[in-house]
Amino acid sequence: MSQSTIFEPDTYPSEQFQEKRQQDEAATLGMWAFLATEILFFGALFASFYIYRLRWPESFADGATQLKWYLGTINTAVLLASSYCMALAVHHARHGDSKKLIRFLLLTILFGVMFLIIKGSEYVIEYKELLIPALNYSPISPDGQHRLPQVPLFMTFYFVMTAIHALHMLVGLTLLLILVFLARRQKFTAHYHNPVEIIGLYWHFVDMVWVFIYPTLYLLRHP
């Protein structure tokens, strides 16, 4: 077996593939298969959320009013900007422009970090407002308003869904840092850039999940 790696131009495609297109399609198909399992996972969370929301619409609407919709809106804009930068990174990878590839990968990482900082700030606010079930939840808000009985269930869904999404963001940021490291070592060319494309698919998927989380948790404020 060859000791070289797929990141060396002379060994691309790898020996188990007949041609470049076959290896690229196999890698892309693998990522789509993985994303399909992720869709099933998040789909179960969304389905469960809406089943309970139909059961207790007033409480879930009350729960939504406890969230800071403006921070969710800002984070949505931040993630859309990151997706745009990721798309440009893939574009420049296809043209073999390593300098611009690195630039837009770093911008994507910057927006991703901004998202996590804003999300972390939300968690701090929610802790101070006594909104974390099993930790410091109170049926009475700091301003003296009574919360409806199933608000803790809403908040549980909120923390589970957003925390799992944030974990996927952390995985994505790690992958992007690896791409930057490899791009700095000139591992990607117009001939070989498939890793950038498949990680780009993952990043766009994570952004798409948030596009569904945002209205589900922040905007459905009426029973």
Side-chain angles (χ1 to χ4, degrees), residues 5 42 58 73-74 76 86 144 151 164 173 182 189:
T5 72
F42 280 104
E58 292 83 7
T73 302
I74 293 171
T76 302
M86 188 70 237
V151 170
I164 292 175
L173 289 172
L182 294 173
T189 64

Side-chain angles (χ1 to χ4, degrees), residues 30 49 57 59 61 69 83 87 103 124 153 156-157 189 198 216-217 221:
F49 176 90
S59 289
W69 65 268
S83 271
R103 179 186 306 167
V124 171
L153 179 61
T156 299
F157 272 108
T189 64
I198 60 176
T216 295
L217 295 176
R221 295 179 165 228

Side-chain angles (χ1 to χ4, degrees), residues 69-135:
W69 65 268
Y70 52 90
L71 292 179
T73 302
I74 293 171
N75 256 352
T76 302
V78 168
L79 273 194
L80 291 176
S82 77
S83 271
Y84 177 70
C85 291
M86 188 70 237
L88 288 176
V90 172
H91 170 77
H92 291 298
R94 289 173 177 169
H95 288 80
D97 191 335
S98 294
K99 184 176 180 179
K100 290 184 178 178
L101 166 61
I102 293 170
R103 179 186 306 167
F104 285 105
L105 285 175
L106 290 174
L107 282 173
T108 305
I109 291 170
L110 174 63
F111 283 120
V113 171
M114 287 175 58
F115 175 93
L116 291 177
I117 291 173
I118 294 171
K119 189 74 246 170
S121 300
E122 277 192 86
Y123 286 163
V124 171
I125 292 171
E126 286 144 9
Y127 177 83
K128 292 180 178 179
E129 294 185 350
L130 309 177
L131 281 169
I132 304 180
L135 181 60

Side-chain angles (χ1 to χ4, degrees), residues 47 69 97 112 145 147 166 176 199 209 211:
W69 65 268
D97 191 335
Q145 298 294 320
R147 293 162 175 158
L176 290 172
I199 292 175
V209 169
V211 169

Side-chain angles (χ1 to χ4, degrees), residues 7 24 30 37 57 59 61 84 100 135 139 160 189-191 205-206 217:
F7 294 111
D24 290 349
T37 65
S59 289
Y84 177 70
K100 290 184 178 178
L135 181 60
V160 169
T189 64
H191 177 65
F205 168 78
V206 174
L217 295 176

Side-chain angles (χ1 to χ4, degrees), residues 8 11 18 21 26 32 51 69 74 81 93 98 118 137 159 177 184 193 203:
E8 296 175 10
T11 63
Q18 296 180 353
R21 180 179 177 183
W32 278 114
I51 288 172
W69 65 268
I74 293 171
S98 294
I118 294 171
Y137 182 83
F159 282 111
L177 286 171
R184 287 186 182 278
H193 53 268
W203 190 260

Side-chain angles (χ1 to χ4, degrees), residues 165-184:
H165 177 265
L167 178 61
H168 281 72
M169 289 281 296
L170 287 172
V171 172
L173 289 172
T174 301
L175 295 173
L176 290 172
L177 286 171
I178 293 172
L179 288 183
V180 171
F181 172 76
L182 294 173
R184 287 186 182 278

